[in-house]
Amino acid sequence: MTHAAQPPLIDPFARPITYLRVSVTDRCDFRCVYCMAEHMQFLPKAELLTLEELDRLCSAFVGLGVRKLRITGGEPLVRRGIMGFFQQMSRHLGEGLDELTLTTNGSQLGRFASQLVDCGVRRVNVSLDTLDAGKFAEITRWGRLPQVLDGIKAAQAAGLRVKINAVALKGVNDSELFDLVKWCGDEGHDLTFIEVMPMGDLGNEDRLDQYWPLTDLRAQLAERFTLIDLAERSGGPARYVRLQETGQKIGFITPLTHNFCESCNRVRLTCTGELYMCLGQEDRADLRAPLRKSEEDAPLREAIRAAIARKPKGHDFDYSRQAVAGQMSRHMSHTGG
């Protein structure tokens, strides 16, 4: 049976799985406080799938109906040879795959923006939580804001559409809400705010102290702007509004204040070949074993289907009662943003 003849992936709740997020590395040139410990123990390189193996896995998913492929990390652009991987993945565009994209911290966009466009990438998500250089250094620990802003400019110059993802952090960037909105409006970037999620044991970083519910953020926006709810859905977690006064589109990803699981169309593949059917559950499937056991793709496809058959209805994240429930022990960088 050819890839084209394969039945699509449907989970137990009749949701088609059409979106794959792939972490190509757990490494990053930043150490963001909500994503990594400052002194991370990264995986031995021998444990990572090769780029050729990642190609084969992603191609299997495309053959099973995945139409959107997002490359993540860690920071995906720090992996050696990553442009070759993007080039290989671009062969699926128009041949089952509708979109090839990535989420990045922006630090390497100055080097790779033009090459990404050549590989068929048309838009990127850039994680940027503050426009204050001092705060940026505190949040990222190792990052430099000017390098990221220059990378964003390079992406725009190359023709990439840039969406800014900002994690809402109480006591950190809550005072910059309108500065971020204005900057994105002036630069022509869409903006999505994300509630901080209980992922990983980060030592001194207290998730409850960081948590800024987007209901509060939205209420502050509504004091200054007229918010028009948009019916737009990407199958993903974001809910969108348009600011009537500026025309900007603002997204809200609210895993804590609003469970967004009912339309989930995605799964996450780690750089070691583990498939997480839900970001907020520990259940995972090992795809590395069937990948390496046979050069035939049939066993791999069977393993993928068996994993999708275990996809849960939703996650269990909860910050109510002044306690963190549903906390995941793995770091965000391990699963892939």
Side-chain angles (χ1 to χ4, degrees), residues 162-333:
V162 175
K163 179 166 80 71
I164 301 297
N165 287 341
V167 175
L169 297 167
K170 184 170 66 177
V172 180
N173 60 3
D174 44 0
S175 63
E176 290 187 72
L177 171 60
F178 297 109
D179 292 336
L180 279 165
V181 169
K182 183 179 187 306
W183 179 77
C184 286
D186 291 345
E187 297 295 322
H189 308 314
D190 287 334
L191 171 62
T192 292
F193 290 103
I194 305 170
E195 285 177 334
V196 68
M197 288 180 250
M199 302 285 293
D201 175 13
L202 303 187
N204 295 326
E205 299 303 333
D206 190 327
R207 277 296 193 281
L208 202 55
D209 287 345
Q210 292 176 342
Y211 176 49
W212 180 22
L214 294 194
T215 47
D216 290 354
L217 185 154
R218 180 178 169 134
Q220 289 186 40
L221 277 178
E223 291 175 3
R224 188 172 299 190
F225 300 103
T226 305
L227 275 53
I228 303 170
D229 287 303
L230 301 179
E232 177 180 337
R233 294 287 186 272
S234 63
R239 299 294 180 263
Y240 297 98
V241 300
R242 191 168 300 285
L243 306 187
Q244 181 173 300
E245 289 78 4
T246 67
Q248 287 174 259
K249 187 171 74 171
I250 305 290
F252 304 95
I253 295 180
T254 54
L256 286 306
T257 57
H258 171 70
N259 187 306
F260 48 64
C261 302
E262 66 276 359
S263 61
C264 182
N265 65 344
R266 68 197 59 198
V267 288
R268 289 169 168 82
L269 180 67
T270 74
C271 52
T272 58
E274 293 176 315
L275 186 72
Y276 283 88
M277 289 70 79
C278 175
L279 179 64
Q281 301 284 358
E282 294 285 14
D283 188 31
R284 60 191 182 274
D286 174 21
L287 297 184
R288 182 169 60 182
L291 176 75
R292 292 180 173 175
K293 187 175 182 180
S294 173
E295 293 184 3
E296 297 295 323
D297 282 345
L300 178 59
R301 291 196 295 268
E302 289 175 13
I304 293 171
R305 289 193 185 281
I308 299 305
R310 306 204 313 260
K311 184 171 170 63
K313 189 172 184 179
H315 62 67
D316 297 321
F317 292 146
D318 184 11
Y319 278 152
S320 62
R321 299 178 301 279
Q322 294 300 298
V324 179
Q327 181 161 0
M328 298 295 102
S329 60
R330 66 186 184 275
H331 291 284
M332 199 70 166
S333 60

Side-chain angles (χ1 to χ4, degrees), residues 15 17 21 61 63 68 71 85-86 88 92 103-104 118 127 144 155 172 197 201 261 275 284 295:
R15 297 172 297 196
I17 305 305
R21 299 176 67 106
F61 273 97
K68 179 176 178 179
I71 309 305
F85 176 73
F86 273 100
Q88 286 296 102
H92 295 300
T103 294
T104 174
D118 291 342
S127 301
R144 294 185 298 109
V172 180
M197 288 180 250
D201 175 13
C261 302
L275 186 72
R284 60 191 182 274
E295 293 184 3

Side-chain angles (χ1 to χ4, degrees), residues 38-206:
E38 185 168 7
H39 303 290
M40 282 290 291
Q41 292 297 314
F42 291 113
L43 295 167
K45 290 185 179 179
E47 289 190 20
L48 270 60
L49 296 180
T50 67
L51 292 176
E52 291 76 17
E53 288 174 325
L54 284 166
D55 180 339
R56 189 175 159 209
L57 262 174
C58 292
S59 297
F61 273 97
V62 172
L64 292 171
V66 162
R67 306 192 67 86
K68 179 176 178 179
L69 184 62
R70 179 176 295 279
I71 309 305
T72 69
E75 169 48 49
L77 297 181
V78 301
R79 175 144 187 188
R80 184 171 302 188
I82 193 62
M83 281 303 116
F85 176 73
F86 273 100
Q87 185 61 53
Q88 286 296 102
M89 287 298 98
S90 71
R91 74 185 186 277
H92 295 300
L93 289 169
E95 300 291 334
L97 192 65
D98 294 335
E99 184 176 28
L100 174 63
T101 185
L102 76 153
T103 294
T104 174
N105 64 27
S107 68
Q108 305 301 312
L109 281 176
R111 296 173 56 198
F112 294 121
S114 294
Q115 294 178 61
L116 288 167
V117 171
D118 291 342
C119 292
V121 177
R122 294 295 173 258
R123 65 189 183 103
V124 297
N125 288 2
V126 178
S127 301
L128 180 64
D129 305 320
T130 177
L131 297 171
D132 180 289
K135 287 183 187 176
F136 186 87
E138 289 179 12
I139 293 171
T140 65
R141 294 192 180 106
W142 294 9
R144 294 185 298 109
L145 181 62
Q147 180 182 5
V148 171
L149 296 180
D150 287 347
I152 291 171
K153 286 187 172 64
Q156 283 183 297
L160 288 168
R161 178 85 179 156
V162 175
K163 179 166 80 71
I164 301 297
N165 287 341
V167 175
L169 297 167
K170 184 170 66 177
V172 180
N173 60 3
D174 44 0
S175 63
E176 290 187 72
L177 171 60
F178 297 109
D179 292 336
L180 279 165
V181 169
K182 183 179 187 306
W183 179 77
C184 286
D186 291 345
E187 297 295 322
H189 308 314
D190 287 334
L191 171 62
T192 292
F193 290 103
I194 305 170
E195 285 177 334
V196 68
M197 288 180 250
M199 302 285 293
D201 175 13
L202 303 187
N204 295 326
E205 299 303 333
D206 190 327

